[in-house]
Amino acid sequence: MQERVFNFNPGPSTLPLEVLQQAQSELLNYKGIGISILEMSHRAPEFEEIVAEAEKLFKELAGVGDDYRVLFLQGGASQQFALVPLNFLAADKTADYVITGSFAEKALKEAQKIGKVNVVATTAAEKHKRIPKQEELNLNKDAAYVHITTNNTIYGTQWHYIPETNGVPLIADMSSDILSRPLDYSKFDLVYAGAQKNLGPSGVVVVMIHKRMLERVKEGLPNIFSYEILAKNNSLYNTPPTFGIYMLKLVLEWLKKFGGLPAIAKHNEAKATLLYDVIDEDDFYRGHAEPAHRSYMNVTFRLPNDELEKTFLQEAEKEGIFGIKGHRSVGGIRASVYNAMSLAGCEKLAAFMRDFKKRNG
Ligand SMILES: *Cc1c(COP(=O)(O)O)cnc(C)c1O
């Protein structure tokens, strides 16, 4: 392959080209220090500055103040499935989970190993093609927290409202739509996201946590699992994924330069709409998600049969359209159009979809 292709991979996924170029230019000698960022101590003042700057930028972009901390940890979103109940689900409490897809299900399963949980709504019977309405959530007023998954990466649905929990802490897995649209982040007590979809490379997970939650962390946890200890040490309790955090900081700078969340949301909506418009033209392509619940990050659809889907994938790849095979659990096609995907990429895919339909419809 001579040139870079349009990369629609669900995660790890495409990164802004400017960010890759900056990392390349700084790789051998970071800021004239004479060593690579890859070789630098996590206790070096230059690295501490990167962590502090990343925290500041994240808060600025999310629009939250100093009553929040932002941590850069390891173990992916999957580790957070366990850390959330380990830290906050006491023996005499229950937690509420809304099940809107496979990752929500995984989060639930981990919590069940740690304490008592309630499924307060599930869309499993409808193959997770929509998000439940507020009235459908059977929330418990004494719950330790409510857990939701704001974007369902595999099914291609997204919450377009923030549920009202009446004072119960709201916790969200935002792995696949973090910082992709303006959102009242102050409604959330804890938000976590694997960086590899919207924020950087794999190996870093971002946790935004309200300070009042740090006071509620259960006693006696191993240090490495305690949000309180991790926050007290500014994400440097042990050696963090230094290069990943550096890359994440570059992505946040790129996002700020782009115009922040209002600008990126417009960009993301325009991109996804190009694809949904083709799906809605007739019955050749069938979208998985109900239109009102569609994701602006993962566009999922089927073709008339498996054979055509196979041909579609093969031909797309020849056109430089990469990574659009659907998840094995739902099949079909999934185009992931995270922040860093360009409009040109979606224009190319939309044109290819129309051309393929004309030839095979
Ligand atoms: C990708 C993804 C995960 C899994 O993340 P890991 O970092 O691989 O653990 C969890 N939740 C959602 C919503 C995801 O999209």
Side-chain angles (χ1 to χ4, degrees):
M1 196 63 74
Q2 296 291 309
E3 288 174 40
R4 285 173 59 80
V5 296
F6 289 116
N7 176 5
F8 292 90
N9 268 322
S13 45
T14 193
L15 286 163
L17 185 61
E18 301 94 298
V19 166
L20 293 174
Q21 284 165 336
Q22 185 175 347
Q24 184 182 41
S25 77
E26 293 181 332
L27 187 69
L28 297 185
N29 187 348
Y30 182 73
K31 301 216 158 146
I33 296 167
I35 60 173
S36 169
I37 193 86
L38 285 162
E39 305 164 300
M40 189 182 294
S41 165
H42 58 297
R43 308 281 176 208
E46 291 83 3
F47 186 74
E48 286 185 349
E49 197 182 304
I50 289 173
V51 176
E53 185 61 20
E55 175 165 13
K56 188 172 143 259
L57 273 168
F58 187 99
K59 289 202 282 197
E60 186 184 331
L61 286 161
V64 300
D66 288 336
D67 39 354
Y68 282 89
R69 290 302 313 272
V70 181
L71 311 178
F72 306 101
L73 310 175
Q74 299 177 65
S78 301
Q79 182 160 300
Q80 298 305 312
F81 295 164
L83 283 200
V84 165
L86 271 176
N87 277 262
F88 303 121
L89 185 48
D92 60 343
K93 285 284 212 175
T94 61
D96 286 352
Y97 278 73
V98 184
I99 306 305
T100 52
S102 320
F103 289 115
E105 188 79 43
K106 283 187 171 168
L108 170 77
K109 292 250 159 71
E110 292 297 83
Q112 280 169 335
K113 293 178 190 165
I114 291 156
K116 291 194 218 62
V117 291
N118 292 305
V119 173
V120 292
T122 172
T123 48
E126 300 154 81
K127 293 211 174 87
H128 299 304
K129 64 186 173 129
R130 68 179 187 94
I131 299 297
K133 296 197 264 302
Q134 176 79 46
E135 310 87 84
E136 293 174 273
L137 310 176
N138 297 308
L139 300 177
N140 297 290
K141 62 178 194 309
D142 300 325
Y145 59 85
V146 179
H147 181 279
I148 68 168
T149 312
T150 50
N151 186 76
N152 298 282
T153 325
I154 293 173
Y155 294 91
T157 61
Q158 191 172 22
W159 288 71
H160 295 298
Y161 73 97
I162 300 175
E164 177 54 61
T165 59
N166 294 310
V168 175
L170 180 59
I171 294 183
D173 175 0
M174 286 197 191
S175 290
S176 51
D177 70 346
I178 191 144
L179 301 187
S180 69
R181 54 178 172 169
L183 199 64
D184 188 351
Y185 278 84
S186 72
K187 289 251 159 67
F188 297 87
D189 293 82
L190 189 156
V191 157
Y192 61 90
Q196 68 271 21
K197 282 141 191 166
N198 248 339
L199 296 180
S202 61
V204 191
V205 55
V206 175
V207 176
M208 183 195 91
I209 182 169
H210 197 284
K211 284 181 179 166
R212 67 175 164 256
M213 294 301 279
L214 294 172
E215 290 156 20
R216 294 190 195 179
V217 166
K218 279 197 291 190
E219 297 283 326
L221 290 177
N223 285 355
I224 194 73
F225 296 154
S226 161
Y227 290 124
E228 193 195 358
I229 302 283
L230 296 164
K232 207 173 269 170
N233 287 277
N234 301 320
S235 304
L236 298 169
Y237 170 70
N238 72 324
T239 316
T242 50
F243 192 73
I245 296 171
Y246 155 77
M247 289 294 290
L248 186 141
K249 192 205 82 159
L250 296 185
V251 171
L252 294 178
E253 285 170 348
W254 169 83
L255 184 52
K256 184 176 168 181
K257 228 166 71 191
F258 195 94
L261 303 193
I264 204 74
K266 249 177 87 183
H267 175 69
N268 289 334
E269 191 171 336
K271 289 182 301 181
T273 302
L274 283 173
L275 307 180
Y276 287 126
D277 280 351
V278 182
I279 291 171
D280 290 339
E281 278 168 4
D282 50 47
D283 297 335
F284 185 77
Y285 297 109
R286 283 168 295 125
H288 178 77
E290 282 184 8
H293 304 261
R294 282 170 169 170
S295 164
Y296 290 124
M297 298 276 100
N298 309 96
V299 178
T300 52
F301 58 94
R302 306 291 314 235
L303 273 72
N305 58 59
D306 293 355
E307 201 56 42
L308 277 174
E309 280 173 359
K310 242 174 80 188
T311 316
F312 183 88
L313 288 168
Q314 283 163 354
E315 289 188 13
E317 199 146 317
K318 283 194 203 117
E319 293 283 320
I321 296 166
F322 208 75
I324 55 169
K325 192 175 181 349
H327 189 269
R328 58 191 180 278
S329 62
V330 287
I333 312 295
R334 168 178 52 179
S336 299
V337 295
Y338 303 124
N339 288 355
M341 171 54 64
S342 63
L343 193 65
C346 290
E347 283 166 350
K348 174 126 187 180
L349 176 54
F352 171 72
M353 286 169 71
R354 285 208 173 90
D355 180 60
F356 188 88
K357 180 171 67 170
K358 211 160 83 195
R359 290 184 285 110
N360 296 279

